[in-house]
Amino acid sequence: MGAFLSERRTPKLNIECLQYCTEKAIRNLSDWWLLKLGVSGILIELQFHCMVFTLFCVLVIFDLGTKWIALAKQVVPKENPSLMEEIKAIPLAHRQGIISSDVMKTRFIGKLIVYIIIVISSGFSDMVLTYLGKPDFFITLAIGYLAASELLSIVENLDEAGVDGLKDLIELLGKAKRR
C-alpha cells in the first residue's frame, strides 16, 4: 500500500489507493458473512429487550440516587436544606457510613435480578396464553407495575429529602400502581 501513498507525511488519496481500499473493504465484508448475518439477526431481535433493560437500569439508578439524597439530608446541619446542599452532602454521608456502597450495590444487582426473573416469567405466562389462543398481557402488566413502583419510590425518596409538593403525586402514583 505504501506505493499508493505519496512521499509527503500526510497520505494523498489517488485512484489506485481508493480502488485498493475499496476491494479490501469488500473482501473483509464478505469474510465470515454467515456469522455476521447471524449475529446481526440476534442483535436486531434483542434490541427491544436491551432497551427495556437499560431503561430499568436507569430507573433503579435514579431510585438509588434519590435514596442517597434522602439519606444525606441527615448530615446537613441546616433545618431545611436545599436539594443541592443534600446532593453535596452525599460524600459526607458516605464517609459517616449512613450511605453504604456495599448495601446499595447489592440492592441494585438484587433488584435487577428480581426484575429479570419477573419479566421472563411473565413472558412464559404470555406464551402459555398465546398457545391457548388468549390475549397476552402479563409482560405489559409486569413491566408497567415494576416501572410504576420504581417511579413511586423515586418520588417518595425526593419527598423524604424535603422536596415540596410531592404528596399529591405520591397519592396519584399509588392509585395508578394499585390499578
Side-chain angles (χ1 to χ4, degrees):
M1 174 144 164
F4 297 117
L5 301 176
S6 71
E7 299 291 313
R8 299 182 338 186
R9 292 183 71 78
T10 56
K12 183 178 179 182
L13 184 62
N14 57 36
I15 194 70
E16 291 90 13
C17 180
L18 179 62
Q19 183 181 4
Y20 172 80
C21 291
T22 304
E23 288 172 1
K24 185 175 177 186
I26 291 171
R27 275 195 309 274
N28 286 340
L29 280 174
S30 64
D31 289 345
W32 297 89
W33 70 271
L34 192 57
L35 176 66
K36 290 176 183 176
L37 184 64
V39 170
S40 297
I42 291 170
L43 291 176
I44 288 170
E45 186 63 32
L46 292 178
Q47 177 186 2
F48 172 77
H49 304 288
C50 290
M51 183 179 65
V52 170
F53 181 73
T54 301
L55 292 172
F56 264 115
C57 287
V58 170
L59 277 174
V60 173
I61 288 168
F62 281 177
D63 184 27
L64 292 176
T66 55
K67 188 64 177 176
W68 285 3
I69 293 169
L71 291 172
K73 182 179 182 180
Q74 301 172 25
V75 299
V76 179
K78 290 174 68 174
E79 178 76 26
N80 290 319
S82 70
L83 186 62
M84 191 52 70
E85 290 170 329
E86 292 171 355
I87 291 170
K88 290 179 180 176
I90 289 174
L92 177 61
H94 183 71
R95 285 192 297 276
Q96 290 182 1
I98 294 171
I99 297 172
S100 170
S101 292
D102 291 335
V103 172
M104 296 295 184
K105 191 181 346 173
T106 304
R107 184 174 170 209
F108 174 78
I109 293 169
K111 255 187 183 183
L112 290 180
I113 290 171
V114 168
Y115 286 1
I116 289 169
I117 291 169
I118 290 171
V119 171
I120 289 172
S121 300
S122 299
F124 284 128
S125 298
D126 278 349
M127 288 172 64
V128 168
L129 289 176
T130 301
Y131 286 128
L132 292 174
K134 304 294 181 190
D136 55 347
F137 65 93
F138 284 118
I139 286 183
T140 304
L141 179 71
I143 290 175
Y145 178 83
L146 294 172
S149 295
E150 281 302 307
L151 178 60
L152 180 59
S153 179
I154 290 166
V155 174
E156 287 172 343
N157 290 338
L158 290 172
D159 183 56
E160 274 183 51
V163 175
D164 293 330
L166 296 178
K167 297 285 186 204
D168 292 337
L169 182 56
I170 291 171
E171 188 178 315
L172 287 171
L173 289 171
K175 286 180 185 176
K177 182 180 158 188
R178 286 188 291 274
R179 286 186 197 172

